[in-house]
Amino acid sequence: MRTRVLNFGSLNMDHVYQVNHFVMPGETISSGSLQHFCGGKGLNQSIALARAGACVSHAGAIGQDGLILKEQLEKDGADVTCLQIREEVGTGHAIIQVDENGQNCIILYGGANQSITREQVDDTLSYFEKGDIILLQNEINELAYIMEQAGKKGLRIFLNPSPCDEKIKNLPLELVDTFLLNEVEGEQITGKKEAILDALKEIFPQAHIVLTLGSKGALYADQNQQVFRPAEKVKTVDTTAAGDTFTGYYIAAVSEGKTVEEALALATRAAAVAVTRQGAVPSIPYRQEL
């Protein structure tokens, strides 16, 4: 019996530029190619959840120009009952530079992702109950309200604090059941460059912490145990959706009742496949590929 997962998150159109190096201040460079993909951390993670076999519903907002994002979610089997279409604002989008080493840098435009209303939050949460999982990122508005209301209902809050900025520190982080974050985000939250996992455990003693380490692997810690999972060795092409793939697969495993070790193993394998492919959604593997 799988636990239901509600992902209240962003949906973007990604404009991906292949470059020799990231553009510097005052510099103009040429792009080798331009590709358009469905994206947004929220959508990416819902797709990863769905392709991993989770029972996932996606809540959020798009403009009339983003119907392809709704179609993509439906195609992969995610429920879109709680996805709203705005008439007055366009869909969020991202401008992504990918260099010759497969690394990326991203500029986000919020658009409809920043139009979430409290009425939408209340209506969405009415479909879910105690014990269900809610996944959040930092690309939509009303996050604090969502967390407070989800906490009152007894939902298990999983937070991927990305992109990490000052707004994160103003959220009711004591309500978070599980943090899924990378070393950069961990440093931004704790102020520590080293022993980040220990610092996170000290600040959030009741939480489960999943710290991704890029090519080195991932660490998990709670009050009782610490688990390390090394990364798979592959040739990196594009890291755009690697973290989102890891997050979706990890939560899918948790929703099935898998152990931490099993969840980390599944998530690292999925992320390894993702970095060998270009784009966000196109790079996310299906579970049978693993």
Side-chain angles (χ1 to χ4, degrees):
M1 188 72 177
R2 292 184 176 89
T3 300
R4 292 193 303 165
V5 182
L6 166 63
N7 185 4
F8 213 134
S10 59
L11 305 101
N12 291 327
M13 290 303 304
D14 287 348
H15 309 292
V16 182
Y17 298 83
Q18 295 290 332
V19 295
N20 291 327
H21 64 273
F22 299 147
V23 67
M24 301 292 289
E27 181 184 26
T28 300
I29 62 175
S30 296
S31 171
S33 68
L34 168 61
Q35 296 173 290
H36 301 282
F37 298 106
C38 297
K41 294 195 73 65
L43 179 136
N44 293 344
Q45 292 175 15
S46 282
I47 297 298
L49 279 156
R51 292 182 182 178
C55 179
V56 58
S57 298
H58 190 99
I62 55 175
Q64 288 288 344
D65 56 341
L67 294 179
I68 189 175
L69 301 172
K70 178 175 180 284
E71 293 167 2
Q72 180 67 64
L73 286 166
E74 292 175 315
K75 177 183 176 182
D76 276 292
D79 174 64
V80 292
T81 303
C82 300
L83 175 61
Q84 295 191 359
I85 301 171
R86 302 280 189 258
E87 299 288 341
E88 70 281 3
V89 64
T91 301
H93 70 254
I95 295 174
I96 304 173
Q97 297 178 61
V98 180
D99 72 10
E100 57 190 6
N101 297 314
Q103 298 300 308
N104 66 69
C105 62
I106 302 171
I107 300 173
L108 286 177
Y109 167 68
N113 294 316
Q114 298 298 316
S115 69
I116 306 301
T117 65
R118 295 193 172 189
E119 291 75 17
Q120 181 183 0
V121 174
D122 293 341
D123 180 65
T124 296
L125 293 179
S126 70
Y127 294 98
F128 296 85
E129 57 190 26
K130 183 177 180 178
D132 289 339
I133 292 171
I134 182 169
L135 169 61
L136 302 168
Q137 312 83 28
N138 191 30
E139 290 184 349
I140 63 171
N141 63 313
E142 291 292 1
L143 274 178
Y145 184 77
I146 295 170
M147 293 172 68
E148 290 163 359
Q149 298 308 306
K152 289 178 182 178
K153 293 203 68 169
L155 274 65
R156 298 163 60 193
I157 300 172
F158 283 58
L159 177 65
N160 173 215
S162 178
C164 195
D165 55 28
E166 286 303 312
K167 290 188 297 183
I168 290 291
K169 296 182 179 179
N170 295 323
L171 297 176
L173 298 178
E174 69 279 1
L175 298 177
V176 175
D177 175 275
T178 300
F179 289 90
L180 297 113
L181 69 175
N182 61 30
E183 292 175 288
V184 173
E185 293 150 3
E187 179 183 339
Q188 290 172 314
I189 290 175
T190 64
K192 305 288 186 181
K193 291 183 178 294
E194 299 179 353
I196 293 172
L197 190 66
D198 291 335
L200 288 166
K201 285 168 58 180
E202 183 176 345
I203 298 170
F204 309 108
Q206 303 303 316
H208 305 266
I209 311 291
V210 181
L211 181 67
T212 57
L213 309 172
S215 61
K216 296 188 291 290
L219 276 168
Y220 167 91
D222 60 28
Q223 286 185 311
N224 303 312
Q225 64 175 328
Q226 184 165 313
V227 180
F228 171 69
R229 175 74 186 188
E232 305 288 341
K233 301 302 180 184
V234 295
K235 178 175 174 55
T236 299
V237 173
D238 182 358
T239 63
T240 301
D244 297 332
T245 300
F246 181 97
T247 294
Y249 267 82
Y250 181 86
I251 295 174
V254 170
S255 74
E256 297 171 10
K258 300 290 189 184
T259 66
V260 169
E261 291 84 356
E262 291 170 330
L264 288 176
L266 185 69
T268 52
R269 288 202 302 272
V273 173
V275 301
T276 66
R277 303 169 176 173
Q278 289 187 333
V281 169
S283 74
I284 300 171
Y286 293 87
R287 188 147 178 176
Q288 58 266 31
E289 296 182 73
L290 307 184

